[in-house]
Amino acid sequence: MSQDIDQLAINTIRTLSIDAVEKANSGHPGTPMALAPVAYELWQNHLRYDPADPIWPNRDRFVLSAGHASMLLYSMLFLAGVRKVDSDYKITDEPACSLHEVEEFRQLHSRTPGHPEYRWTTGVETTTGPLGQGIATSVGMALASKWQGERFGADLFDFDVYALAGDGCLMEGVSHESASLAGHLKLDNLCWMYDNNHITIDGATDLAYDDDVLSRFEGYGWNVLRVGDANDASLLSRAFEEFKAETGRPTLIVIDSHIGWGSPNKQDTESAHGEPLGEEEVRLTKKAYGWPEDAQFLVPDGVRERFDEKIGARGAELSAAWKQKLDGSAHKAEIEMMQHRELPDGWDAAIPSFDADEDKGLATRKASNKIQNAIAEQVPWMISGSADLTDSTSVRLNFDGAVNFEPGSFNGRQIHFGIREHAAATACNGLSLCKIKPLWSTYLTFSDYGRPGIRLSALMELPVIHLFTHDSIGLGEDGPTHQPIEQLASLRAMPHLDVMRPADANETAEAWRIAVERTHNPIALVLTRQTVPIFDRSRYASAQGVRKGGYVLADAEGGDPDVILIATGSEVQLALGAHETLTGEGIRSRVVSLPCWELFDRQDAEYRDSVLPPGVGARVAIEEASPQGWERYVGPGGEIIGMTTFGQSAPFADVEAEFGFTADKVAEVVREVAARAAGNSTT
Ligand SMILES: Cc1ncc(C[n+]2csc(CCOP(=O)(O)OP(=O)(O)O)c2C)c(N)n1
Ligand SMILES: [Mg+2]
């Protein structure tokens, strides 16, 4: 083959992608074929990345937002010789993605799943696939670079973040929120590459899309560049240099490309997007590349070595120099602690304990603010954000130095995400991927607006804190649009996400401890707007029971109860109220506070049975939310007092009474259930 080594390498990326998709009989060949020269130019000549140390903290990040083009990334990981890192952060001698893995594209347990999965394939910086999520995550990564640069010095942290996006990413709403935020924050370390190929799955983009992308991004305050031909290495190189030289603005490079480049019959058509080219077309395409038509998974001599010579050599030098700087830095211990998701000694020493106050009480959001401040002051890399509800959701940091994160004070601790929940949740994933401990907040109903980011935090097992207040119809006057009903059930349905709805201030403190200690999964903290009593723990069990997800808060004296009341959050007070009344009537009841189902379900059977004895079938669950899911705790003999309709706009006491959420109503239901159970056992 008479092509120069760089052209040969680019064609290797293309043909590996073609062959892998062909063998799997599934996947997306066209975009890797088109963008191979873009990825190649970036990785080989610009990206500060060490394949021998793919977790070097100051590496530039490459995010493949167009996750369907995963074979592009897998080819790069293989050819660059990226090494695999194990779950203890140890770099192994194995490749992150071997040629064998490329051949096993999209097969069970391979390191080359259909879309790139963070934590599964080393070198994948974030999970992508849902369009728009990659670029939105890249904003959080760029924020993290700025924050660390300000705190530890720009000689230690100044990494750039590159994200490759297609038409789909830019059509998605989240791209608007995220680009607007990045422009406002002047993230000049952020570079999005837009694959302007005019094709999506349905066909030409003009079926649905005529945005003037250049004007759009200029309007956000971005630096907008154009590369008229994805195959022109010198134009690409100049654009990357211009990005690096730019200050005060993020950069968008609009790159004109041809999907399925080189395929005589499929180039520029939607059929190159998501299906194998087909045997005959593969031959014709390879011929067009000057490639042996029958060769498969061919890596010509010198191609792998070319990567070692370029990105490998440059990366090794940069990462070694960085490590030397780190060794001489006063921040080394803190940086290493962050990188391993550890916490400073005494991080929880200032968490308050709240005195009983059953009359005046305290909203759990208010308690949360005191706890959050006590922790954040000890954990400098904990950052608090909100989607324009900083005070309503009580996430304002109020200690010295807790200034806003913004240009001029990038080491700030408080981020104003603006009314951009989707961008906020997803930016938090980017922050967490770069080892900052992020929190963002909104009302529980609007968790729906952040859900795609929440889902990816769960899928990636990132310790992001999603904090939601105004957690029930108890929020009152704002009415049904703001009163969550199905959100708890839908969040609980998400794997790897623990949903915690503490009942009072002391349970909130325990929930926070759990949230901050998490290293490998996100948590949704669900808090009240309204005041709730602070229970007298000398009369009731300790709030430490929260650590097991659920616990017996109050019990019948001596022996098993006849009936069990189970509740979360603000409804625990109703269960306790009913319990006191019923005790006076000689009905033996137990109150179980169950703030976190997931955590409770992970306890051993012995513990779970001790809290919910299988022999006691008379059970009543109380939660101001969809009853869905409670069946598993109340069983066939039980009742669920929940919400099966939307709420009402009225003062909160009226709303609660309207829907039967009073201690008296609860007691009534419990009496019925207890009587029914007693009747059953005597017949
Ligand atoms: C949120 C979301 N919606 C829909 C899809 C399904 N999908 C995958 S790729 C694609 C078309 C993407 O077009 P474009 O970004 O232009 O990529 P290209 O075909 O040019 O590579 C769609 C609709 C998805 N992955 N994510
Ligand atoms: Mg496209």
Side-chain angles (χ1 to χ4, degrees):
M1 284 177 277
S2 62
Q3 18 193 303
D4 78 27
I5 187 68
D6 294 317
Q7 192 56 46
L8 206 55
I10 289 168
N11 285 337
T12 306
I13 300 167
R14 288 178 165 139
T15 51
L16 284 177
S17 304
I18 292 171
D19 290 341
V21 172
E22 206 66 23
K23 181 163 181 231
N25 196 23
S26 165
H28 304 76
T31 303
M33 291 158 73
L35 299 183
V38 179
Y40 188 77
E41 174 60 29
L42 175 65
W43 281 52
Q44 287 288 60
N45 296 321
H46 303 274
L47 203 69
R48 294 173 294 175
Y49 185 87
D50 181 5
D53 184 358
I55 53 170
W56 164 37
N58 195 38
R59 67 192 181 280
D60 287 346
R61 295 335 192 244
F62 173 76
V63 173
L64 184 70
S65 195
H68 55 278
S70 54
M71 265 315 305
L72 178 66
L73 181 53
Y74 299 145
S75 303
M76 298 306 290
L77 296 179
F78 160 59
L79 291 169
V82 174
R83 304 247 298 267
K84 183 173 162 186
V85 178
D86 71 15
S87 52
D88 296 322
Y89 303 101
K90 294 245 157 51
I91 298 162
T92 70
D93 290 334
E94 285 173 59
C97 182
S98 63
L99 186 58
H100 173 71
E101 296 287 356
V102 170
E103 292 180 25
E104 290 294 291
F105 180 50
R106 291 186 160 231
Q107 304 310 302
L108 197 63
H109 304 315
S110 75
R111 298 278 161 188
T112 47
H115 293 83
E117 304 285 351
Y118 171 73
R119 279 175 60 74
W120 180 242
T121 314
T122 305
V124 171
E125 301 282 11
T126 179
T127 295
T128 52
L131 295 170
Q133 286 285 306
I135 44 176
T137 305
S138 74
V139 173
M141 294 173 166
L143 290 172
S145 175
K146 289 288 186 196
W147 189 88
Q148 292 173 98
E150 194 80 19
R151 181 167 179 86
F152 304 128
D155 56 334
L156 276 175
F157 283 94
D158 65 346
F159 63 84
D160 290 326
V161 184
Y162 297 89
L164 195 48
D167 299 300
C169 291
L170 289 206
M171 286 187 207
E172 289 291 352
V174 72
S175 73
H176 296 258
E177 292 185 17
S178 299
S180 162
L181 180 64
H184 167 74
L185 290 171
K186 306 189 190 310
L187 296 177
D188 52 20
N189 57 345
L190 180 65
C191 178
W192 289 2
M193 298 161 277
Y194 167 42
D195 175 28
N196 183 32
N197 67 6
H198 300 284
I199 289 286
T200 63
I201 293 182
D202 274 2
T205 47
D206 64 11
L207 284 168
Y209 181 63
D210 319 286
D211 289 10
D212 178 345
V213 172
L214 299 146
S215 308
R216 175 185 156 193
F217 278 78
E218 271 164 16
Y220 295 137
W222 283 51
N223 168 38
V224 182
L225 306 174
R226 181 139 199 178
V227 168
D229 178 3
N231 284 305
D232 190 326
S234 66
L235 278 183
L236 286 166
S237 184
R238 198 190 313 159
F240 292 132
E241 292 301 341
E242 281 184 38
F243 153 64
K244 286 186 267 182
E246 178 66 29
T247 54
R249 293 185 299 177
T251 291
L252 176 78
I253 309 178
V254 178
I255 303 170
D256 296 342
S257 86
H258 296 275
I259 195 165
W261 190 84
S263 159
N265 300 300
K266 297 210 163 171
Q267 177 177 314
D268 294 323
T269 70
E270 61 271 26
S271 78
H273 163 90
E275 54 193 72
L277 295 181
E279 207 177 314
E280 184 53 23
E281 192 65 15
V282 170
R283 285 172 171 281
L284 294 173
T285 306
K286 287 183 177 164
K287 192 169 169 203
Y289 293 157
W291 208 254
E293 290 167 46
D294 292 323
Q296 279 175 14
F297 299 102
L298 174 68
V299 184
D301 287 348
V303 167
R304 270 271 312 110
E305 292 74 10
R306 184 68 175 157
F307 281 81
D308 293 345
E309 267 166 46
K310 304 277 282 189
I311 186 172
R314 192 177 65 252
E317 211 170 288
L318 286 166
S319 76
W322 188 86
K323 275 165 208 152
Q324 228 169 23
K325 271 187 235 159
L326 180 69
D327 284 339
S329 164
H331 298 295
K332 184 174 178 185
E334 184 173 327
I335 291 168
E336 288 185 340
M337 201 177 276
M338 273 181 80
Q339 290 301 317
H340 291 91
R341 300 203 193 280
E342 289 161 0
L343 292 164
D345 286 344
W347 69 271
D348 59 351
I351 295 180
S353 147
F354 296 86
D355 292 339
D357 181 352
E358 299 194 336
D359 299 327
K360 194 154 70 47
L362 187 66
T364 53
R365 66 174 166 149
K366 295 268 171 69
S368 171
N369 184 262
K370 295 188 201 303
I371 301 156
Q372 183 192 341
N373 271 284
I375 298 170
E377 200 166 358
Q378 307 301 320
V379 185
W381 53 93
M382 204 172 120
I383 285 187
S384 178
S386 185
D388 201 45
L389 293 170
T390 303
D391 288 318
S392 303
T393 59
S394 299
V395 297
R396 190 177 295 281
L397 299 176
N398 51 28
F399 50 88
D400 275 354
V403 296
N404 283 342
F405 179 103
E406 60 196 0
S409 60
F410 276 133
N411 58 347
R413 307 283 303 277
Q414 190 93 45
I415 301 189
H416 292 278
F417 285 114
I419 306 115
R420 303 183 182 101
E421 295 82 3
H422 196 167
T426 307
C428 283
N429 294 345
L431 285 163
S432 180
L433 285 160
C434 298
K435 308 298 170 81
I436 281 174
K437 200 149 189 62
L439 163 154
W440 77 284
S441 74
T442 184
Y443 295 156
L444 180 58
T445 352
F446 306 139
S447 63
D448 290 346
Y449 275 48
R451 195 170 172 90
I454 302 172
R455 185 169 197 269
L456 279 191
S457 73
L459 184 55
M460 289 192 268
E461 302 181 15
L462 297 176
V464 174
I465 300 174
H466 306 282
L467 189 149
F468 305 121
T469 66
H470 296 57
D471 69 346
S472 74
I473 53 169
L475 66 84
E477 291 88 340
D478 273 338
T481 58
H482 283 47
Q483 292 164 345
I485 302 291
E486 72 282 16
Q487 281 67 24
L488 274 175
S490 74
L491 290 169
R492 284 176 181 144
M494 200 181 281
H496 284 305
L497 177 72
D498 284 1
V499 181
M500 307 216 67
R501 187 168 185 251
D504 75 347
N506 288 306
E507 282 200 7
T508 307
E510 291 300 328
W512 260 103
R513 279 178 206 277
I514 293 167
V516 173
E517 278 175 346
R518 283 293 147 90
T519 53
H520 286 102
N521 65 307
I523 200 146
L525 267 184
V526 177
L527 305 169
T528 67
R529 166 184 182 268
Q530 75 275 26
T531 299
V532 290
I534 304 175
F535 301 129
D536 179 355
R537 299 285 168 171
S538 67
R539 220 146 59 90
Y540 303 122
S542 157
Q544 286 186 6
V546 172
R547 295 178 196 180
K548 296 195 160 168
Y551 64 105
V552 178
L553 179 63
D555 211 359
E557 260 173 48
D560 277 353
D562 296 328
V563 58
I564 305 174
L565 291 83
I566 319 167
T568 77
S570 49
E571 287 71 76
V572 172
Q573 61 180 309
L574 304 181
L576 277 179
H579 165 80
E580 301 294 354
T581 308
L582 296 165
T583 304
E585 296 170 10
I587 297 176
R588 300 168 50 75
S589 67
R590 165 179 291 187
V591 174
V592 170
S593 176
L594 192 61
C596 182
W597 292 13
E598 299 82 1
L599 195 48
F600 182 70
D601 291 350
R602 290 199 294 270
Q603 304 304 314
D604 59 28
E606 194 186 335
Y607 178 74
R608 282 184 278 119
D609 290 351
S610 74
V611 175
L612 298 173
V616 184
R619 301 178 180 188
V620 176
I622 311 124
E623 187 169 63
E624 290 176 357
S626 163
Q628 198 173 317
W630 275 107
E631 306 82 354
R632 95 167 90 152
Y633 298 112
V634 299
E639 287 289 338
I640 304 161
I641 306 175
M643 288 294 296
T644 53
T645 65
F646 292 109
Q648 285 282 337
S649 166
F652 101 96
D654 295 344
V655 179
E656 305 231 312
E658 173 79 5
F659 291 100
F661 289 96
T662 62
D664 286 348
K665 270 272 184 212
V666 171
E668 220 175 283
V669 174
V670 175
R671 276 185 212 104
E672 278 168 32
V673 170
R676 204 161 65 205
N680 282 346
S681 62
T682 53
T683 51

